[in-house]
Amino acid sequence: MSKWLMGHVMEFQLLISWTVLALVSLSDVASSSSVSAILDKLFDKANYDKKLPPRYDKPSWERQVEVTVNMFIVNMFAVSEIDMEYSMSLFLRERWKDSRLVYNDTLNLTRIELDPSMFGAIWQPDMFIATEKYSDFHEVTVRNQMVHIYPNGIIQYSARVTGAFFCAMDLRKYPFDTQECEFELESYGFDTTKLKFIWDDPPMTMSKNIKLPQFNLTSISTYNCDREYFGIKYPCIGVKFILERDYSFYLIQIFVPSILIVILSWVNFWLDCTSVPGRVSLALLTVLTMTTQSSGARENLPAVSYVKAIDVWMAACLAFVFLGLVEFAYVNVQSRVSTRRQMSYSKPVHELVQAVHNNMNGDINENEKENESQTSSESTCDTKEHLSNKGSECTKSYLICLKSLAGIERARAVDKISRVLFPLLFIIFNICYWTYVFLWSPAFMEGL
């Protein structure tokens, strides 16, 4: 008996389950059919024309449609100086009201999500990105766009866009610069009497994982940029990204190596002026290395008509290295002049004249020859002693006595002066350069 009762209870429970399931299915079908009915009614061609804006039937002063814009920046992943552009991926969101699409929310839907096949069935603002160079909509795995219709006629549109956008960069302080990049949205065909763009509050949000390799995003600000073409004013809004360059990479890769190369060129001043092969090799090596580094530092920069901070630095370093090579050339000439003079002193001119005279007469007095030889030797020694005395007198004041020195003594004096003068001038240049770089700002940066 109990088994029979239990069997009937189970059959009853199963019957109830099937009944509930059938009712839910019927409810879903009814709901689905009701949503379809709502959409059919909303987009009935007799009541809705997508070719006309929402307030086309209003008086002229009431036809303006307000479009609220919001952005979510997914990533900013590249800034190119040579192409004058920055790249980013974002969700672009628009919201406006179309009173023709108001409906009764009898099904508690909150909103209706349109299928992508119906996106073309509604009127949309003709917004375009004025600063765009190229961009694309995402379509993997599905088309990354959505349109929601709310019961009060509010339409929410969103699309994911990735592209490269123009940025007019001022590189006069490069690589210690701060760039101001703009992103502008503008209407292509509707003027300000029919369409108005306003930023949402907040106007944009950003992913927390955004990190640029060479820049820090310091601030973001919005602005209005309505433009007039042929007497017609078109709505426009924009946002400014302030990008401050992180110059630590350039200090390590460009400035420190160039300083070391300049210091290396000073080793020439400590080598003997007669060490021609060593000094030539070192001078040419530093000049060629500095030239290569200078071209590499400007490789990824555009050909602009003004002088950049990096240009001044590389030109100055190259000048110091090149002047070191010029100094060696001057010292080498002076040392060779001294060598020629010593050779001329070892065989005076009057000795040669006397030898010719003896050959013509066929006779010479041995005593006179010895006396002349002794006189010549004494003259040579006196000359050497005179030059040596001059050198010893001027060791304490090279700048004053440099004109009185000659030959190898002048060469060595120039080397000793260069050991002090070149480092001193380079230190003065560094003080002026770094002070100017960090205190001066281009005109557009003064208000930042």
Side-chain angles (χ1 to χ4, degrees):
M1 186 71 178
S2 59
K3 291 183 179 180
W4 179 82
L5 184 60
M6 289 292 294
H8 280 280
V9 171
M10 292 179 66
E11 289 178 0
F12 181 72
Q13 290 177 344
L14 185 61
L15 179 62
I16 291 175
S17 300
W18 280 106
T19 303
V20 170
L21 185 60
L23 290 175
V24 170
S25 300
L26 289 174
S27 176
D28 289 344
V29 171
S31 175
S32 177
S33 60
S34 298
V35 171
S36 298
I38 293 174
L39 292 176
D40 290 340
K41 183 179 179 181
L42 290 177
F43 294 105
D44 184 16
K45 292 183 179 180
N47 301 321
Y48 185 84
D49 189 352
K50 69 174 184 178
K51 297 188 294 295
L52 300 175
R55 304 173 67 86
Y56 74 97
D57 55 345
K58 302 292 183 181
S60 58
W61 61 88
E62 295 182 4
R63 291 178 183 174
Q64 189 181 69
V65 179
E66 285 192 356
V67 180
T68 304
V69 182
N70 175 271
M71 289 168 49
F72 177 78
I73 301 176
V74 181
N75 197 8
M76 294 182 70
F77 43 83
V79 178
S80 174
E81 292 86 3
I82 194 168
D83 295 322
M84 293 285 183
E85 67 181 27
Y86 66 98
S87 302
M88 68 177 179
S89 180
L90 67 142
F91 289 103
L92 181 60
R93 299 160 178 164
E94 306 171 36
R95 187 173 67 251
W96 68 94
K97 184 174 182 179
D98 193 337
S99 57
R100 297 172 297 177
L101 298 179
V102 175
Y103 63 90
N104 293 323
D105 188 15
T106 57
L107 303 177
N108 253 350
L109 297 174
T110 307
R111 62 183 177 273
I112 297 177
E113 297 87 358
L114 289 188
D115 185 84
S117 61
M118 296 189 65
F119 289 172
I122 65 172
W123 178 90
Q124 296 183 27
D126 61 343
M127 177 185 290
F128 73 98
I129 303 174
T131 54
E132 172 196 15
K133 296 184 75 174
Y134 55 87
S135 62
D136 291 301
F137 289 108
H138 289 253
E139 296 186 355
V140 179
T141 57
V142 293
R143 188 177 177 184
N144 292 183
Q145 290 177 279
M146 74 168 197
V147 176
H148 292 173
I149 302 177
Y150 290 84
N152 58 356
I154 295 294
I155 300 174
Q156 178 79 38
Y157 170 82
S158 177
R160 186 182 178 189
V161 181
T162 297
F165 309 97
F166 176 73
C167 179
M169 299 185 185
D170 189 318
L171 299 172
R172 284 177 289 176
K173 279 193 70 174
Y174 177 90
F176 308 99
D177 54 326
T178 298
Q179 299 301 334
E180 181 183 278
C181 295
E182 299 175 346
F183 182 88
E184 295 181 350
L185 301 169
E186 188 177 341
S187 172
Y188 197 87
F190 291 102
D191 60 21
T192 52
T193 62
K194 298 182 180 65
L195 197 61
K196 180 182 180 180
F197 294 148
I198 57 174
W199 284 109
D200 199 1
D201 187 18
M204 68 177 57
T205 51
M206 301 181 64
S207 173
K208 296 180 180 180
N209 299 323
I210 294 179
K211 289 183 179 180
L212 293 169
Q214 293 186 19
F215 288 90
N216 296 317
L217 184 59
T218 57
S219 65
I220 300 175
S221 60
T222 58
Y223 60 94
N224 186 281
C225 55
D226 292 351
R227 291 194 174 94
E228 186 172 336
Y229 304 108
F230 299 103
I232 303 174
K233 196 173 184 179
Y234 295 90
C236 173
I237 55 175
V239 57
K240 291 181 181 179
F241 302 101
I242 306 301
L243 302 173
E244 184 178 353
R245 193 184 301 275
D246 185 1
Y247 51 80
S248 57
F249 168 83
Y250 299 92
L251 290 178
I252 297 172
Q253 298 293 329
I254 295 178
F255 288 93
V256 172
S258 59
I259 291 174
L260 295 178
I261 293 171
V262 173
I263 294 175
L264 180 62
S265 68
W266 300 339
V267 176
N268 252 344
F269 308 143
W270 296 88
L271 297 178
D272 190 81
C273 54
T274 58
S275 302
V276 176
R279 297 190 67 162
V280 168
S281 300
L282 184 58
L284 290 178
L285 176 64
T286 52
V287 170
L288 293 177
T289 304
M290 200 68 241
T291 304
T292 303
Q293 190 182 31
S294 177
S295 60
R298 295 188 292 265
E299 184 179 4
N300 295 323
L301 295 177
V304 293
S305 58
Y306 49 81
V307 178
K308 303 178 288 294
I310 191 71
D311 296 334
V312 175
W313 175 266
M314 300 308 296
C317 291
L318 183 59
F320 273 99
V321 172
F322 179 75
L323 288 176
L325 178 60
V326 172
E327 189 271 350
F328 161 69
Y330 177 78
V331 165
N332 186 45
V333 169
Q334 292 299 319
S335 64
R336 285 191 288 110
V337 167
S338 178
T339 303
R340 288 197 300 270
R341 285 179 178 176
Q342 290 178 2
M343 292 176 63
S344 64
Y345 284 135
S346 64
K347 195 172 185 178
V349 175
H350 67 271
E351 182 180 347
L352 296 176
V353 173
Q354 185 63 36
V356 172
H357 179 71
N358 292 338
N359 289 335
M360 293 175 62
N361 296 329
D363 187 20
I364 189 169
N365 190 317
E366 295 294 335
N367 292 332
E368 291 181 359
K369 182 177 181 181
E370 290 177 1
N371 291 336
E372 290 176 0
S373 177
Q374 184 177 356
T375 303
S376 174
S377 178
E378 289 176 357
S379 175
T380 302
C381 292
D382 291 341
T383 305
K384 290 182 178 178
E385 185 178 355
H386 175 70
L387 291 174
S388 178
N389 290 336
K390 279 188 176 181
S392 61
E393 290 173 0
C394 295
T395 53
K396 296 182 180 180
S397 54
Y398 295 106
L399 291 176
I400 299 175
C401 302
L402 187 61
K403 293 183 178 180
S404 63
L405 297 175
I408 196 167
E409 293 299 330
R410 175 177 285 189
R412 286 172 177 163
V414 169
D415 269 348
K416 290 179 180 180
I417 293 172
S418 300
R419 293 171 191 172
V420 178
L421 184 61
F422 273 70
L424 181 62
L425 291 177
F426 192 65
I427 291 172
I428 294 173
F429 164 73
N430 271 270
I431 293 173
C432 298
Y433 178 84
W434 296 109
T435 302
Y436 187 77
V437 161
F438 288 111
L439 293 183
W440 172 76
S441 295
F444 85 96
M445 292 174 56
E446 291 179 355
L448 300 182

